Structures are given as C-alpha cells and as structure tokens.
C-alpha cells in the first residue's frame, strides 16, 4: 500500500466513524473536520458509495447499516430538531382520544410534549420511558403493554404484546423510524418491527415522526408503506424523489 493509499484508507475510516455518530454530515462539515478540501471529500464519498459503505445524499452522505446506535446514544443527537418535530406532531392530535405510541428517541420527545395536553386521552405504549413520561398527566389513562423486555431500546415485544395490541383499536398511532424512503418506513430491530406493524394495523391513521438523518435510508424490516392515512412530521424539506412519492400517495407532510 502506497503512502497516498494509506492516507486515503485512514480518511475513509474516519469518514465512516464520523457518520456512525452523526449519520447525516454535510460535505462542508466533513471537510472541516478532516482538514481537507470539499473536493477531496466528494471523491472519498463517491468511492465509499461505490463500495456500498455509504449512501450519497444531497450535500452529504449517510452510512448504510441495518443497525442503529442504542437509544441512550440516539437521545443525544438532533435534540432541537426532535423537539420541534414533537411539538408539531402534538398539534396534529386535536380531537384524538386514543393513541398508540412507539418507542425511540423522537417518540420520547413527543411524549414529553404531549404530557402537557389538558384533556383526557387513552394512550398505549410498548416503551417504558414513554409510559413514565405520559403517566405524569393525571388526565391520561396510560396502558403499558405486556411482553418480553428489550432492555437496550426500553421496549416490550413478543406474542403476548401482539395479542394485547390486537384487542385495542385506536384513533392514531405515532411512530418513529429507523429509516424513511419513498416507499415507506423501516425498522432496524426485528422484535420492535413486529410490534410497530401491529400498532399501525390497529389505528385509523398513523403519524410518522422522523428527523432529516433518517431520510433516504432503508433498514432491515419494512413496517409501513405510505398511504392516504399516514402523515410525516420532519424537520427539513424532503428530497424530490421522496416528496413526489408521498404527494402521489396522499401523505400529509409537515415540516417543523
């Protein structure tokens, strides 16, 4: 390996490490962080994209993976964006009396915004943290689903969880996402994917809450395909391909 090849390899490894922490870095940010030109970064990203290590996006890149960081790590990322998304999502719940809430960093922000609502709601969730946040509101009937514990994500799952979900029809499900593309939403954790799919199936409508880092990505298990009964709340304008697909399927999009 030549000296130049070695430098490039180290730079490629560094780019992948950076994208693992922040999955939606801009070219300008990567160039500044690695102390190289934007043109060098663009060439590196093109090579990593060709190798399947990343997926190029407008102005940057995202790392391709079927895995997500642990919830405790994700809670530190995109906090302001997720707070805006949560506030906008709660505004869509006017008149909603019953609700499923999924797990994840963004849905936890939704729970924090939702607990100040001054009316009765029945809320079912598989997430321990979401249940604890919402239980602080005495007007809410909060039902924590039974099942096997998935400690890293703070969720329950399994056959007992799915049976319980099947007994409750709700007005709306609020769902986070590991990945969002022009087809729909996918989830990295198989055990969670089954729970989320069941929740969506028992709701009249679904609101997906996802920040910009999830856009244009695919993950392990598809949990939702876009349709006229779904809404997406995000923090940045969508790419042309995704925007056109959602518009054609009647999906309501709100930019927080």
């Amino acid at each position: 390996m030549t000296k130049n090849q070695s430098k490039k390899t180290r730079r490629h490894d560094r780019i992948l490490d950076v994208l693992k922490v922040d999955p939606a870095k801009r070219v300008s940010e990567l160039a500044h962080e690695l102390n190289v030109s934007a043109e060098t970064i663009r060439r590196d990203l093109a090579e990593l994209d060709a190798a399947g290590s990343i997926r190029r996006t407008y102005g940057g890149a995202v790392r391709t993976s079927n895995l997500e960081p642990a919830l405790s790590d994700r809670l530190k990322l995109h906090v302001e964006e997720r707070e805006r998304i949560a506030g906008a999502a709660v505004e869509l719940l006017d008149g909603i009396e019953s609700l499923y809430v999924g797990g994840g960093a963004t849905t936890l922000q939704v729970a924090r915004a939702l607990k100040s609502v001054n009316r009765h709601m029945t809320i079912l969730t598989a997430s321990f943290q979401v249940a604890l946040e919402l239980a602080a509101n005495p007007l809410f009937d909060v039902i924590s689903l039974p099942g096997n514990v998935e400690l890293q994500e703070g969720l329950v799952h399994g056959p007992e969880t799915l049976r319980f979900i099947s007994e409750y029809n709700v007005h709306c499900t609020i769902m986070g996402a590991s990945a969002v593309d022009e087809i729909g939403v996918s989830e990295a954790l198989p055990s969670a994917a089954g729970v989320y799919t069941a929740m969506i199936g028992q709701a009249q409508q679904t609101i997906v809450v996802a920040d910009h880092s999830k856009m244009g990505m695919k993950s392990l298990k598809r949990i939702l395909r876009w349709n006229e009964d779904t809404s997406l709340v995000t923090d940045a304008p969508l790419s042309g391909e995704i925007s056109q697909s959602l518009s054609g399927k009647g999906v309501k999009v709100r930019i927080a």
Side-chain angles (χ1 to χ4, degrees):
M1 181 182 290
T2 68
K3 183 177 180 181
N4 285 340
Q5 287 174 323
S6 178
K7 285 178 63 177
K8 180 190 288 188
T9 299
R10 289 197 299 271
R11 198 167 60 244
H12 284 189
D13 289 342
R14 177 61 179 151
I15 289 171
L16 293 175
D17 287 341
V18 170
L19 292 176
K20 184 176 181 180
V21 175
D22 186 349
K25 279 281 189 181
R26 310 285 294 178
V27 166
S28 58
E29 295 171 325
L30 287 167
H32 177 75
E33 191 155 341
L34 275 69
N35 196 27
V36 295
S37 70
E39 291 305 315
T40 296
I41 291 295
R42 290 190 182 96
R43 287 195 297 270
D44 288 338
L45 295 179
E47 292 172 4
L48 289 167
D49 184 52
S53 299
I54 65 167
R55 180 171 177 175
R56 292 284 277 121
T57 65
Y58 180 76
V62 289
R63 185 167 183 174
T64 55
S65 175
N66 283 332
L67 301 175
E68 276 195 309
L71 177 60
S72 58
D73 295 325
R74 300 202 308 276
L75 288 172
K76 304 171 187 176
L77 301 174
H78 312 300
V79 175
E80 292 183 6
E81 294 92 332
R82 286 169 170 160
E83 288 176 346
R84 296 202 310 271
I85 291 168
V90 169
E91 291 177 1
L92 299 180
L93 297 178
D94 187 34
I96 297 294
E97 297 178 359
S98 56
L99 186 67
Y100 275 121
V101 181
T106 309
T107 49
L108 182 56
Q109 292 290 356
V110 171
R112 290 169 177 167
L114 181 61
K115 69 181 180 182
S116 63
V117 170
N118 189 29
R119 61 183 175 85
H120 177 265
M121 295 183 73
T122 300
I123 305 170
L124 302 93
T125 183
S127 164
F128 312 143
Q129 289 178 282
V130 168
L132 288 171
E133 287 286 344
L134 295 174
N137 186 329
L139 295 177
F140 291 170
D141 288 330
V142 180
I143 301 174
S144 185
L145 302 183
N148 302 323
V149 174
E150 209 298 320
L151 190 59
Q152 180 170 299
E153 287 296 299
L155 297 170
V156 294
H157 65 94
E160 189 175 2
T161 312
L162 299 181
R163 283 194 297 271
F164 197 90
I165 291 171
S166 70
E167 295 175 357
Y168 286 84
N169 298 306
V170 299
H171 292 129
C172 182
T173 288
I174 294 187
M175 192 61 53
S178 295
V180 174
D181 62 12
E182 69 279 3
I183 299 172
V185 176
S186 48
E187 165 61 38
L189 190 65
S191 57
V195 172
Y196 297 160
T197 300
M199 287 180 171
I200 292 166
Q202 294 297 110
Q204 296 175 16
Q205 61 174 294
T206 299
I207 299 173
V208 177
V209 290
D211 68 74
H212 63 275
S213 70
K214 306 300 179 68
M215 301 300 145
M217 297 286 286
K218 290 180 171 64
S219 199
L220 185 63
K221 176 68 174 176
R222 179 79 59 190
I223 63 171
L224 179 146
R225 293 179 181 271
W226 298 120
N227 60 74
E228 61 185 9
D229 295 322
T230 57
S231 301
L232 171 65
V233 184
T234 188
D235 63 301
L238 302 174
S239 69
E241 183 180 11
I242 296 178
S243 179
Q244 185 175 3
S245 176
L246 269 61
S247 177
K249 293 179 172 64
V251 179
K252 297 168 280 296
V253 177
R254 181 162 183 175
I255 310 298

